[in-house]
Amino acid sequence: MPTPATLDALLVEERVFRPAPATVIEANVKPAELAEAYRLAEADPCAYWEQAALELEWHRKWDAVLDDSRAPHYRWFPGARGNIVHNALDRHVHIWTKNKLALIWEGEAGDCRKFTYFELYREVNRFACALRALGVSRGDRVCLYMPPVPETVVAMLATAKIGAVHVFVFAGYSAKFLRERINDAEAKVLVTADGFYRGGRCINLKTVVDEALEGVRGDAAETVVVVRRTGDDIDMREPRDLYYHDLLRQESPEAATEIMEAGEPLFWLPTSGTTGRPKSVVHDHGGYMVGAHHTFRTVFDIKPTDIHFCTADPGWITGHTYGVYGPLLTGATVILYEGHPLYPQADRLPAIIERYGATIFYATPTLVRMLMRYGPQYPKKRDLSTLRLLGSVGEPLSPEAWMWFYKHIGRSNCPVLDTWWQTETGMAMLSPMPISVLKPGSVGKALPGVAADVVDAAGAPVPPGQGGFLVLRKPWPGMFSGLAGDEEGYREAYWEKIPGAYFAGDVARRDEDGYYWIQGRADDVLNIAGHRLGTAEIEAALCAHRFVAEAAVIGVPDKIKGEVAKAFVVADPAWTGAFPDADALAADLRGHLRRELGPIVILRGVELRETLPRTRSGKILRRALRAEELGEPYEYRSDAEE
Ligand code: PRX
């Protein structure tokens, strides 16, 4: 959540930036077309999304665009059949894109691998055959615990090609987190790597996997496919562990693509919410494909000559939608980078842009702030003249960071598209278009077909300029089809908070021009460097420590990461016998949290307390702790807190 000071800065922001005439002339969606898109989407949303679906190839067309008879379980394109991989890969090998670069990958040490669509197609087919040979079939889950390497993209596509469901666990999560997700998904196969390079270090993943699989349930992850990346000496356990490269050697470069119903699952993606357990967001083949393709083509304005550099790890939704599926669906070339963004120095990302002539750079506010800290001399060393669009996602991009990004990366020449969306939405929902008038700090208007609103707790729209809850009033094709195995959670968390609308969990305001300004989460979800982490999840992890009796976690502002966690802990008195002082206990808790959740949780401090403030009904008053921490006034409101 922003502090009052940043809110004030947002409120007084009045700068606007108009698009350059050339941008407007060359845009895929020109002003008249955008106006028509808004008109059609308003008058007949299904007709609008049907047009978008017709831009893709289907094995069988839909009987209807949308079935809302079981709302909030919306079914997009019922009756339609196809497979996202047909559109992302198969069809390209019959057209001019066949020999175009699909993927440019750069390792942290500077090694580079490039794949044309044809090469990627053949590699994916080989792995698809291998997965089939391992007994994976339609509907089965394949868990991916992968670093950003080309085989990660191959594994996603191969899984989808045979109709199986990929469940990605970001490689920054712990063994315990991975084990729980493998169990939840009852994953048949786990795909991983020996390790990868980051920040000049070799990170070993396989030992984490071995630990995760110690306590896995039943016959989950019976087979582990290991990509050899670092060549490190790792423990390969027979017959469970197989090397990816050995498996592929004997496989055919041709594989049949499974024909899926539009509503069948494509992937699950674990994400944090307000409960102690992460939830798995489910996306399908049909609707997600339409959403990813349409928004990538229109918002990112993709052209045959574009080279898109998406800095997100493939393990997050941004990596799924705009690092893998969106670019491949549109026949674009995408850059994937393995390592730390500042390694060996702060011009690494600009150097990648320069080296491959990237035209679009899609980053995060945390990255922008990191680059800002090192100063403009780093991007200045590099030729960034190929860039024509900048994008940002995941956290609020302050007007100051926006201006820096615009000036020092975009050379005051590239529109900055601050895109708002979520794991659940699957696709960008609020965003400027390249032809839009831009306001630094704002995520622009709702895209055509997106019915966004800002409302009070009763669901009534609030006047322009006033803060409220961000909601979406109409379904959209990229939307998730549910939470795996949690029907009640799906209804309760998203559809029952505000009558008749999807509750996004964000606080926002909309100005007189219809521009949205995102102020932060409305719930107990932290946004640490663009990664969503529930306070309840961190508290549950802390409470698993033998000397923690109670724990409360709050988010505190951080100059680079946006927000970091701070923990307040009531310790079991027995701790004094086990640790020399409170600092030693705090250090142990940090290590514990790392083991429980992984390095993804960034903890500012651990404070020992005698008691934690609670409401009359016993709920922890995180707001009171936060106000105390930030030196802000706090008033107990029993209605709001209970
Ligand atoms: O709070 C919003 C923030 O990130 C949340 C969604 O997180 P996740 O599902 O991990 O997806 C992130 C990438 C799509 C939102 O509820 N968020 C996302 N984009 C923005 C944002 N906050 C401000 N500005 C954005 N552009």
Side-chain angles (χ1 to χ4, degrees), residues 16-21 23-24 406 415 434-438:
V16 297
F17 290 81
R18 292 180 195 286
T23 307
V24 177
Y406 179 76
I435 59 166
S436 303
V437 172
L438 302 169

Side-chain angles (χ1 to χ4, degrees), residues 318 394-396 418-423 443 506 518 521 532:
T318 305
E395 322 152 57
D418 185 356
T419 58
W420 178 91
W421 57 295
Q422 307 179 296
T423 307
V443 295
D506 279 17
I518 308 294
R521 294 288 304 193
R532 241 163 96 168

Side-chain angles (χ1 to χ4, degrees), residues 160-231:
K161 178 152 189 154
I162 65 169
V165 181
H166 52 79
V167 183
F168 211 125
V169 177
F170 171 63
Y173 280 119
S174 67
K176 180 165 182 266
F177 189 97
L178 174 62
R179 181 186 310 131
E180 286 169 357
R181 302 294 78 73
I182 292 172
N183 281 338
D184 289 350
E186 295 170 17
K188 225 174 191 165
V189 169
L190 170 69
V191 188
T192 188
D194 50 2
F196 66 111
Y197 297 98
R198 194 171 163 92
R201 290 192 308 137
C202 179
I203 314 277
N204 186 321
L205 278 186
K206 183 60 169 48
T207 46
V208 184
V209 166
D210 290 340
E211 190 190 332
L213 295 187
E214 284 301 324
V216 110
R217 263 205 308 267
D219 53 5
E222 242 178 352
T223 307
V224 179
V225 179
V226 184
V227 173
R228 208 183 272 129
R229 159 66 188 133
T230 59

